[in-house]
Amino acid sequence: MNRITWVDNLRGLSILAIIFLHSTIAVHNNAGHFTLISNTMNEMLAPVRLGLMFFVSGLFVDVGLKKGLGPFINNKIKSILYPFIVWVAIYGGLKIVFSSMANTPQSPLNIILSHLTGGGDMTWFLHSLFIFFLMILVARKLPFYVVFLVCMFASWALPAIKPDSIFASFDNSHINKSFYLFVFFYLGDYVVRKQIDLAERVKKTSVIGLSLASFALLSCLNLFIVQGAPEAFLSPLALLSVPFFVWIAAHLSSRIVYYIGTHSIVFYLSHYLAIQVFSKLVKFESASPWMNDIKFIAAFLAALALPWTICLMRSRGWLNFLFTLKKSAKPLQEKAV
């Protein structure tokens, strides 16, 4: 079996965008000389950053179902539900142990329930992804416009979880966000079912031109006009922006991005541990923008170093139990775009 390079590149770019965002959070948005560019990039990428991850995941629905419904679900239990449980124990356990140091202390019951219902730090992605792989069994039988309209209405209309609820979390609108992101997941599956070769389609000037214009308009609206507006209102432009990022991934030649993409679950789940430790240990404030530059770069490098170290350990047969119940497979051959 071969790996398709642009798919892993796209996944790697999405993970890097998430790490970049969390690195700015680690330094309380004071990234020195990088502050303006980091704030601008994070705002521009907000409507598509996580959507691209779900889009890539959707690309693998069809090939999984061809093996049969039983093996399909069993695979998702081993590769998604299992690491979800493991990392709920890790993040939830650490939050309980160090609750006295948290900015917003929570009871142990509140922490456990928020994680198990998809509101936990980092683990919410696996929670939503597992549900998406079940939802798609029905949704893929429906026209795109029906799925889009239902999900966007739900994303916009559903009330957020009340802050005083025992299910409250760091993001009480995570259910709304999941409906918004499911359309990206559906789109990935749709592309494969319709046998659309995206890598070829984005070579067309009309396709890439429309997608680039959509992302430019989306960025302008998000930055200057409709700040704070529900994501559902911007979703058509966000979906039209996907081919532009596929084009970038198809033309990108970066071993680092590709490596992160092929080890995406490790980088996604573990980098935030480094971010949390860094933000707790490096608390000193400085008026010097140069010192803040160093803090931001150090946070970013720390968030890459921990997952990279874990990947090296996994290559030697260690720590694989943290991410999957499946046995280690032989490295897949890279397939050119």
Side-chain angles (χ1 to χ4, degrees), residues 31 38 50 60 65 94 128 130 151-152 216 244 254 309:
S38 66
L50 291 165
F60 298 95
L65 284 175
L94 288 173
S128 293
F130 183 76
C151 288
M152 290 308 108
F244 171 60
S254 171
T309 302

Side-chain angles (χ1 to χ4, degrees), residues 39-53:
N39 289 341
T40 302
M41 285 185 60
N42 287 331
E43 284 296 323
M44 289 175 62
L45 294 174
V48 296
R49 179 172 45 231
L50 291 165
L52 293 174
M53 287 181 61

Side-chain angles (χ1 to χ4, degrees), residues 6 20 83 101 111 118 170 190 197 200 240 257 271 273 287 307 317 323 326:
W6 72 260
F20 188 83
M101 299 174 61
I111 292 172
F170 73 100
Y190 182 87
D197 189 340
E200 285 296 321
L240 287 172
V257 173
H271 83 272
L273 287 176
F323 305 97
K326 297 191 293 185

Side-chain angles (χ1 to χ4, degrees), residues 42-110:
N42 287 331
E43 284 296 323
M44 289 175 62
L45 294 174
V48 296
R49 179 172 45 231
L50 291 165
L52 293 174
M53 287 181 61
F54 283 103
F55 171 76
V56 171
S57 297
L59 296 173
F60 298 95
V61 172
D62 197 63
V63 68
L65 284 175
K66 287 180 178 178
K67 299 176 182 178
L69 183 59
F72 175 81
I73 295 178
N74 183 54
N75 177 272
K76 303 314 168 191
I77 291 174
K78 290 182 177 180
S79 61
I80 300 176
L81 186 59
Y82 169 77
F84 167 74
I85 295 172
V86 170
W87 285 87
V88 162
I90 293 174
Y91 278 112
L94 288 173
K95 188 174 286 188
I96 292 173
V97 171
F98 296 103
S99 59
S100 60
M101 299 174 61
N103 296 326
T104 53
Q106 297 173 290
S107 69
L109 178 62
N110 177 239

Side-chain angles (χ1 to χ4, degrees), residues 22 45 53 81 92 96 98 129 141 168 173 210 234 318 334:
H22 289 158
L45 294 174
M53 287 181 61
L81 186 59
I96 292 173
F98 296 103
L129 187 59
K141 300 176 182 179
S173 298
L210 174 62
L234 301 176
W318 303 336
E334 179 179 334

Side-chain angles (χ1 to χ4, degrees), residues 216-266:
L217 178 58
L218 174 67
S219 299
C220 291
L221 290 172
N222 198 39
L223 285 170
F224 307 116
I225 301 177
V226 291
Q227 291 183 353
E231 288 182 314
F233 294 165
L234 301 176
S235 56
L237 291 174
L239 292 169
L240 287 172
S241 300
V242 170
F244 171 60
F245 289 94
V246 171
W247 181 86
I248 293 175
H251 289 80
L252 185 66
S253 179
S254 171
R255 294 178 62 184
I256 294 177
V257 173
Y258 180 77
Y259 184 84
I260 293 173
T262 57
H263 298 85
S264 57
I265 189 171
V266 177

Side-chain angles (χ1 to χ4, degrees), residues 15-303:
I15 296 292
L16 274 174
I18 293 170
I19 294 176
F20 188 83
L21 170 67
H22 289 158
S23 297
T24 61
I25 294 175
V27 296
H28 308 292
N29 293 321
N30 186 1
H33 293 97
F34 299 100
T35 301
L36 178 60
I37 188 172
S38 66
N39 289 341
T40 302
M41 285 185 60
N42 287 331
E43 284 296 323
M44 289 175 62
L45 294 174
V48 296
R49 179 172 45 231
L50 291 165
L52 293 174
M53 287 181 61
F54 283 103
F55 171 76
V56 171
S57 297
L59 296 173
F60 298 95
V61 172
D62 197 63
V63 68
L65 284 175
K66 287 180 178 178
K67 299 176 182 178
L69 183 59
F72 175 81
I73 295 178
N74 183 54
N75 177 272
K76 303 314 168 191
I77 291 174
K78 290 182 177 180
S79 61
I80 300 176
L81 186 59
Y82 169 77
F84 167 74
I85 295 172
V86 170
W87 285 87
V88 162
I90 293 174
Y91 278 112
L94 288 173
K95 188 174 286 188
I96 292 173
V97 171
F98 296 103
S99 59
S100 60
M101 299 174 61
N103 296 326
T104 53
Q106 297 173 290
S107 69
L109 178 62
N110 177 239
I111 292 172
I112 294 171
L113 290 178
S114 66
H115 274 79
L116 292 179
T117 53
D121 297 334
M122 309 313 297
T123 58
W124 74 267
F125 174 81
L126 293 178
H127 182 277
S128 293
L129 187 59
F130 183 76
I131 293 175
F132 287 2
F133 273 109
L134 299 180
M135 289 174 57
I136 199 67
L137 298 176
V138 175
R140 68 198 319 247
K141 300 176 182 179
L142 302 174
F144 177 81
Y145 71 89
V146 172
V147 175
F148 174 80
L149 291 176
V150 169
C151 288
M152 290 308 108
F153 178 78
S155 176
W156 169 72
L158 287 177
I161 296 172
K162 294 181 179 180
D164 58 351
S165 168
I166 58 174
F167 299 102
S169 66
F170 73 100
D171 180 6
N172 290 328
S173 298
H174 63 267
I175 297 177
N176 308 67
K177 182 185 297 182
S178 291
F179 275 105
Y180 170 82
L181 293 170
F182 179 73
V183 180
F184 287 88
F185 183 81
Y186 177 94
L187 179 62
D189 178 48
Y190 182 87
V191 164
V192 175
R193 284 190 290 117
K194 298 300 181 180
Q195 298 182 342
I196 300 172
D197 189 340
L198 271 182
E200 285 296 321
R201 289 290 181 91
V202 297
K203 292 179 181 179
K204 296 182 178 181
T205 305
S206 58
V207 173
I208 193 62
L210 174 62
S211 185
L212 176 57
S214 299
F215 181 65
L217 178 58
L218 174 67
S219 299
C220 291
L221 290 172
N222 198 39
L223 285 170
F224 307 116
I225 301 177
V226 291
Q227 291 183 353
E231 288 182 314
F233 294 165
L234 301 176
S235 56
L237 291 174
L239 292 169
L240 287 172
S241 300
V242 170
F244 171 60
F245 289 94
V246 171
W247 181 86
I248 293 175
H251 289 80
L252 185 66
S253 179
S254 171
R255 294 178 62 184
I256 294 177
V257 173
Y258 180 77
Y259 184 84
I260 293 173
T262 57
H263 298 85
S264 57
I265 189 171
V266 177
F267 278 86
Y268 176 80
L269 287 173
S270 65
H271 83 272
Y272 200 63
L273 287 176
I275 290 292
Q276 290 282 35
V277 172
F278 185 93
S279 63
K280 295 295 185 295
L281 295 180
V282 186
K283 287 188 174 182
F284 68 89
E285 300 293 336
S286 174
S288 170
W290 297 104
M291 183 58 68
N292 291 320
D293 289 347
I294 295 174
K295 286 174 59 180
F296 174 68
I297 295 172
F300 186 73
L301 292 178

